[in-house]
Amino acid sequence: MVYTFKIFRFDPKKDSEPHEQEFSVDLGGEEKITVHDALFKIQQTQDKSLSFRYCCRLAMCGSCALVINGREGLACKTLIRDLSSGPISLKPLNHIQVVKDLTVDLKSLIARLRKMEPYFIPKSPSAEPAKIKPASKERQIIGLNTECIACGSCVSACTMMYWNPDYIGPMGLNRAFCLIADSRDLTGERLKRVADENGIYRCHMEFNCTDVCPKHLSPTRGIHYLKRQILWQEIKKRFPKKSRNL
């Protein structure tokens, strides 16, 4: 069966403005043909200059995230049969600088993560690993949020990223949530880093990030948790005696 694709094209070394290029490709009648398969066929048979990113092709690395028919998704996970019969639109992620065509510069995502120190900082040194059972309350709070593959889909879908490019974004704040909810982590300084106008208070709880996450986790839920933690810290400062009984 022949499918038509309208693909975003832009090479900053050659093009003054982005443009859209249309490709028609015969993908046969197989049920499990993905957007990634289509991109490979277009690159191999029609235009070798087409640029896109991929790695594992198992929906585990997050490298192939695109805007597919106006919605963020993984190219290796999105089946052609699940898309509309009309032309299929493929664009790079929003709010991230384009390197070429469908490939974006992931440095901006990494820079946002660095703002809140995305690595574990122990409260006290210990030679023994902490024992946290899967069924423990602490582990249940974090839930699926630890499964983030840093694909950037949530950042692309977040409308606040457009209005404030300095916003840490749902991906970074989700990572902050996973660390702050860990009782072993030194959370005080990390909370300060995310509790400003470029952090948790920039989120307007639109749930766009939750809606498009390919791993079905909710950054919005994590951000809401961080807001509650900030509020709790403030209550303890202002009412130290009463907070002991809460």
Side-chain angles (χ1 to χ4, degrees), residues 5 10 20 57 73 87 92 94 102 106 118 121 127-128 130 141 147 152 154 164 178 191-192 210 240-241 246:
F5 292 83
F10 179 60
E20 199 172 61
R57 302 186 72 180
N94 300 308
L102 302 176
L106 299 179
I121 304 175
E128 295 295 324
I141 288 174
E147 303 297 323
C154 58
N164 185 1
C178 292
L191 271 172
K192 291 179 183 178
T210 299
K241 293 183 179 180
L246 294 177

Side-chain angles (χ1 to χ4, degrees), residues 5-168:
F5 292 83
K6 289 186 176 181
I7 301 178
F8 176 98
R9 303 301 304 270
F10 179 60
D11 185 347
K13 294 180 180 179
K14 299 178 181 179
D15 303 327
S16 58
E17 294 290 337
H19 63 280
E20 199 172 61
Q21 187 172 0
E22 192 169 294
F23 295 92
S24 294
V25 57
D26 189 348
L27 298 175
E30 293 186 33
E31 284 286 299
K32 295 185 179 180
I33 294 291
T34 67
V35 169
H36 229 166
D37 295 325
L39 284 171
F40 274 112
K41 190 159 187 178
I42 291 170
Q43 186 189 62
Q44 292 167 1
T45 63
Q46 298 187 46
D47 190 342
K48 293 182 179 180
S49 70
L50 178 62
S51 176
F52 56 93
R53 182 179 278 115
Y54 70 96
C55 186
C56 73
R57 302 186 72 180
L58 294 170
M60 293 299 294
C61 71
S63 301
C64 64
L66 300 173
V67 179
I68 304 168
N69 281 353
R71 178 184 172 86
E72 287 72 14
L74 300 182
C76 71
K77 185 180 180 182
T78 305
L79 297 174
I80 297 294
R81 71 184 184 195
D82 294 334
L83 301 175
S84 62
S85 58
I88 298 170
S89 169
L90 301 180
K91 296 180 180 180
L93 296 178
N94 300 308
H95 319 311
I96 306 173
Q97 184 178 354
V98 175
V99 176
K100 186 185 177 189
D101 300 336
L102 302 176
T103 306
V104 294
D105 189 351
L106 299 179
K107 290 179 182 177
S108 62
L109 295 181
I110 296 172
R112 290 188 180 96
L113 280 172
R114 284 177 176 168
K115 288 182 180 180
M116 41 66 55
E117 297 183 327
Y119 42 84
F120 175 69
I121 304 175
K123 285 182 179 177
S124 56
S126 175
E128 295 295 324
K131 295 181 180 179
I132 300 178
K133 296 180 179 180
S136 67
K137 182 180 179 181
E138 182 173 345
R139 185 64 181 81
Q140 294 299 314
I141 288 174
I142 298 173
L144 287 174
N145 289 61
T146 57
E147 303 297 323
C148 173
I149 57 176
C151 67
S153 293
C154 58
V155 172
S156 175
C158 178
T159 56
M160 299 314 298
M161 296 301 308
Y162 173 82
W163 298 106
N164 185 1
D166 294 324
Y167 175 36
I168 293 175

Side-chain angles (χ1 to χ4, degrees), residues 205-216:
M205 297 293 175
E206 294 177 340
F207 286 88
N208 290 346
C209 55
T210 299
D211 187 43
V212 301
C213 178
K215 304 303 286 186
H216 308 294

